[in-house]
PDB file of all heavy atoms in Angstrom:
ATOM      1  N   HIS A   8       3.266  16.320   8.685  1.00 98.00           N
ATOM      2  CA  HIS A   8       3.769  17.082   9.839  1.00 98.00           C
ATOM      3  C   HIS A   8       5.228  16.682  10.075  1.00 98.00           C
ATOM      4  O   HIS A   8       5.505  15.688  10.740  1.00 98.00           O
ATOM      5  CB  HIS A   8       2.897  16.769  11.065  1.00 98.00           C
ATOM      6  CG  HIS A   8       3.189  17.615  12.278  1.00 98.00           C
ATOM      7  ND1 HIS A   8       2.278  17.763  13.301  1.00 98.00           N
ATOM      8  CD2 HIS A   8       4.275  18.345  12.641  1.00 98.00           C
ATOM      9  CE1 HIS A   8       2.808  18.539  14.238  1.00 98.00           C
ATOM     10  NE2 HIS A   8       4.017  18.910  13.865  1.00 98.00           N
ATOM     11  N   HIS A  10       9.321  18.387  10.671  1.00 98.00           N
ATOM     12  CA  HIS A  10      10.167  19.547  10.977  1.00 98.00           C
ATOM     13  C   HIS A  10      11.589  19.320  10.457  1.00 98.00           C
ATOM     14  O   HIS A  10      12.037  18.182  10.291  1.00 98.00           O
ATOM     15  CB  HIS A  10      10.225  19.779  12.485  1.00 98.00           C
ATOM     16  CG  HIS A  10       8.895  20.081  13.095  1.00 98.00           C
ATOM     17  ND1 HIS A  10       8.342  21.340  13.081  1.00 98.00           N
ATOM     18  CD2 HIS A  10       7.985  19.281  13.718  1.00 98.00           C
ATOM     19  CE1 HIS A  10       7.158  21.299  13.683  1.00 98.00           C
ATOM     20  NE2 HIS A  10       6.910  20.066  14.074  1.00 98.00           N
ATOM     21  N   HIS A  48       7.850  25.145  12.630  1.00 98.00           N
ATOM     22  CA  HIS A  48       7.188  25.874  13.717  1.00 98.00           C
ATOM     23  C   HIS A  48       7.073  27.360  13.378  1.00 98.00           C
ATOM     24  O   HIS A  48       8.059  28.000  12.994  1.00 98.00           O
ATOM     25  CB  HIS A  48       7.985  25.733  15.020  1.00 98.00           C
ATOM     26  CG  HIS A  48       7.777  24.422  15.692  1.00 98.00           C
ATOM     27  ND1 HIS A  48       6.575  24.054  16.247  1.00 98.00           N
ATOM     28  CD2 HIS A  48       8.604  23.382  15.911  1.00 98.00           C
ATOM     29  CE1 HIS A  48       6.680  22.846  16.788  1.00 98.00           C
ATOM     30  NE2 HIS A  48       7.906  22.398  16.592  1.00 98.00           N
ATOM     31  N   GLU A 107       3.577  24.946  11.129  1.00 98.00           N
ATOM     32  CA  GLU A 107       2.797  24.547  12.287  1.00 98.00           C
ATOM     33  C   GLU A 107       2.623  25.805  13.120  1.00 98.00           C
ATOM     34  O   GLU A 107       3.560  26.263  13.784  1.00 98.00           O
ATOM     35  CB  GLU A 107       3.503  23.450  13.094  1.00 98.00           C
ATOM     36  CG  GLU A 107       2.695  23.068  14.327  1.00 98.00           C
ATOM     37  CD  GLU A 107       3.360  22.012  15.203  1.00 98.00           C
ATOM     38  OE1 GLU A 107       4.501  21.592  14.902  1.00 98.00           O
ATOM     39  OE2 GLU A 107       2.712  21.611  16.193  1.00 98.00           O
ATOM     40  N   HIS A 181      -2.119  17.377  16.600  1.00 98.00           N
ATOM     41  CA  HIS A 181      -1.914  16.699  17.891  1.00 98.00           C
ATOM     42  C   HIS A 181      -2.830  17.168  19.017  1.00 98.00           C
ATOM     43  O   HIS A 181      -2.384  17.796  19.975  1.00 98.00           O
ATOM     44  CB  HIS A 181      -0.452  16.746  18.332  1.00 98.00           C
ATOM     45  CG  HIS A 181       0.227  18.092  18.422  1.00 98.00           C
ATOM     46  ND1 HIS A 181      -0.353  19.195  18.999  1.00 98.00           N
ATOM     47  CD2 HIS A 181       1.458  18.479  18.022  1.00 98.00           C
ATOM     48  CE1 HIS A 181       0.506  20.201  18.962  1.00 98.00           C
ATOM     49  NE2 HIS A 181       1.603  19.793  18.358  1.00 98.00           N
ATOM     50  N   ASP A 248       5.264  14.217  13.013  1.00 98.00           N
ATOM     51  CA  ASP A 248       5.857  15.233  13.883  1.00 98.00           C
ATOM     52  C   ASP A 248       7.354  14.965  14.068  1.00 98.00           C
ATOM     53  O   ASP A 248       7.924  15.277  15.110  1.00 98.00           O
ATOM     54  CB  ASP A 248       5.140  15.243  15.243  1.00 98.00           C
ATOM     55  CG  ASP A 248       5.132  16.616  15.888  1.00 98.00           C
ATOM     56  OD1 ASP A 248       5.828  17.506  15.382  1.00 98.00           O
ATOM     57  OD2 ASP A 248       4.443  16.767  16.909  1.00 98.00           O
ATOM     58  N   HIS A 250      11.221  15.346  14.041  1.00 97.00           N
ATOM     59  CA  HIS A 250      12.202  16.436  14.074  1.00 97.00           C
ATOM     60  C   HIS A 250      13.555  15.952  13.554  1.00 97.00           C
ATOM     61  O   HIS A 250      14.484  16.733  13.399  1.00 97.00           O
ATOM     62  CB  HIS A 250      12.336  17.000  15.488  1.00 97.00           C
ATOM     63  CG  HIS A 250      11.172  17.868  15.907  1.00 97.00           C
ATOM     64  ND1 HIS A 250       9.891  17.391  16.041  1.00 97.00           N
ATOM     65  CD2 HIS A 250      11.104  19.198  16.195  1.00 97.00           C
ATOM     66  CE1 HIS A 250       9.088  18.381  16.420  1.00 97.00           C
ATOM     67  NE2 HIS A 250       9.805  19.493  16.513  1.00 97.00           N
TER      68      HIS A 250
HETATM   69 ZN1  LIG B   2       5.328  19.594  15.284  1.00 82.66          ZN
END
Side-chain angles (χ1 to χ4, degrees):
H8 187 160
H10 298 278
H48 282 293
E107 178 182 3
H181 55 45
D248 210 350
H250 285 64

